[in-house]
Amino acid sequence: MAKKAVATFAAKAATKSMVKCIRMDKSPKTGAYVFTEHLVEADKAKDYFAKK
């Protein structure tokens, strides 16, 4: 299960639009769920969620 929070971070006009992606992963040690957050370019968001 993946969750995608969309926010634009544009300091300059030439900057590509970035999105904050939040993915839920299961920890191999404890079995609990861990949330990982990354800032990714908007066009590469699907690739981020496709890989494990």
Side-chain angles (χ1 to χ4, degrees), residues 11-47:
K12 298 179 183 176
T15 307
K16 291 186 177 183
S17 64
M18 303 289 282
V19 292
K20 182 179 183 180
C21 297
I22 303 169
R23 182 171 50 197
M24 182 173 69
D25 296 322
K26 196 166 191 176
S27 173
K29 290 183 179 180
T30 62
Y33 287 102
V34 179
F35 293 94
T36 55
E37 300 180 5
H38 288 280
L39 285 176
V40 183
E41 293 179 12
D43 56 344
K44 296 181 181 178
K46 283 191 176 185
D47 296 334

